Amino acid sequence: MSDKTPEQHRNDIYAKDLDDKSSTPAIPAATVVLLRQRETSPEVLMLRKNSKIAFGGMWVFPGGRIDEEDYPADRDLEGAARVAAAREAAEEAAVTATPEEFVWFAHWTPPPSSPKRFATYFFATVIEGSENVQIDGGEVLDHMWIAPAEALAKHGAGDIDLAPPTWVTLYHLTRRATARAVIDDFSARAPRHYATRIGQRADGVRVAIWEGDGAYVHGDADAEGTRHRLVMAKGGFEFEHPPEDY
């Protein structure tokens, strides 16, 4: 680990102290990527959170913590996550979505150093009636339908704020030309599990590291080896990964 002061992008949501380990379990949560097809590109619904709540000011997908009433009788966590994601879509955007049609494609767990940790199921679905989005102006202040590549470009220009899991998800979405192709691709893969570790390169740049990266076990962000990481330099995010994996 470098002693150099960390260089942090403004959307690096993880704690500055990499040695700070929380003993508090991550809160189960769920989010759903709502897709529609427009001309030659899929579009995704994004919501801007109130700056006074978790992920405040950032553009996110509909979602939140899993409530007790979301659990089915058998206490199945994935089933509860599906219900929670659909409930949040209705509460935050007035969108009706069917949990059984959701494709579970990822699960994100923040590093132990994070001040507030949500272990989040990520689902995706294509919806109809996409013009009827309504927000309450309380927890959610704005919304937009946007092409994933455009959202990443806006983030790179500093126009919008995106948490690392949102950024990586949008990157996924840019790899397919249609909303249906996105769903088909996610359906054909096992869900990806991102148990995040944070490292720091010798130049002070922080990186979010996931399994498959050569530094995942030992934490040396400058070590040679395969790459599966998000470089969070002040100039912008850069996703490094084996090309065949995405």
Side-chain angles (χ1 to χ4, degrees):
M1 181 69 64
S2 169
D3 293 329
K4 187 170 182 173
T5 301
E7 179 188 320
Q8 283 193 270
H9 190 280
R10 71 181 191 283
N11 295 161
D12 175 357
I13 62 174
Y14 304 118
K16 292 183 179 180
D17 185 355
L18 304 186
D19 296 321
D20 181 19
K21 308 300 183 185
S22 172
S23 60
T24 303
I27 300 166
T31 190
V32 59
V33 175
L34 300 173
L35 295 161
R36 72 178 186 183
Q37 185 62 32
R38 284 295 183 271
E39 298 180 356
T40 60
S41 172
E43 290 184 336
V44 61
L45 179 63
M46 303 200 70
L47 311 176
R48 183 167 64 87
K49 290 282 192 176
N50 189 312
S51 61
K52 297 180 180 179
I53 63 176
F55 302 104
M58 290 190 164
W59 286 87
V60 300
F61 311 117
R65 70 174 63 211
I66 299 173
D67 292 340
E68 179 61 30
E69 57 267 28
D70 296 324
Y71 284 89
D74 63 3
R75 305 294 296 176
D76 177 65
L77 182 55
E78 181 190 337
R82 290 175 178 273
V83 172
R87 174 180 54 75
E88 291 285 351
E91 292 176 356
E92 295 185 333
V95 170
T96 300
T98 305
E100 294 77 16
E101 296 178 357
F102 293 174
V103 176
W104 174 28
F105 67 92
H107 186 275
W108 286 81
T109 304
S113 59
S114 299
K116 192 165 188 178
R117 305 173 69 224
F118 292 92
T120 306
Y121 284 81
F122 275 62
F123 300 102
T125 193
V126 178
I127 65 166
E128 304 295 335
S130 56
E131 305 300 333
N132 300 321
V133 175
Q134 299 177 36
I135 59 172
D136 63 11
E139 288 190 8
V140 177
L141 300 182
D142 201 357
H143 78 281
M144 62 180 173
W145 284 99
I146 188 169
E150 182 181 353
L152 293 181
K154 284 181 174 291
H155 176 264
D159 295 334
I160 64 173
D161 293 338
L162 301 171
T166 309
W167 194 101
V168 171
T169 300
L170 288 165
Y171 179 89
H172 273 290
L173 300 181
T174 66
R175 313 296 281 181
R176 298 294 178 266
T178 68
R180 181 50 53 190
V182 168
I183 296 300
D184 290 346
D185 180 56
F186 286 162
S187 298
R189 299 172 180 262
R192 298 176 185 270
H193 290 263
Y194 296 87
T196 306
R197 295 192 65 180
I198 299 300
Q200 183 180 321
R201 300 189 319 203
D203 61 3
V205 173
R206 284 158 53 96
V207 292
I209 304 170
W210 302 295
E211 189 173 4
D213 191 285
Y216 189 74
V217 174
H218 52 69
D220 181 359
D222 291 302
E224 296 293 329
T226 57
R227 293 291 187 255
H228 187 205
R229 61 177 62 184
L230 189 66
V231 179
M232 299 180 290
K234 288 184 179 179
F237 288 174
E238 181 181 0
F239 192 28
E240 299 181 356
H241 60 84
E244 65 275 11
D245 287 351
Y246 285 86

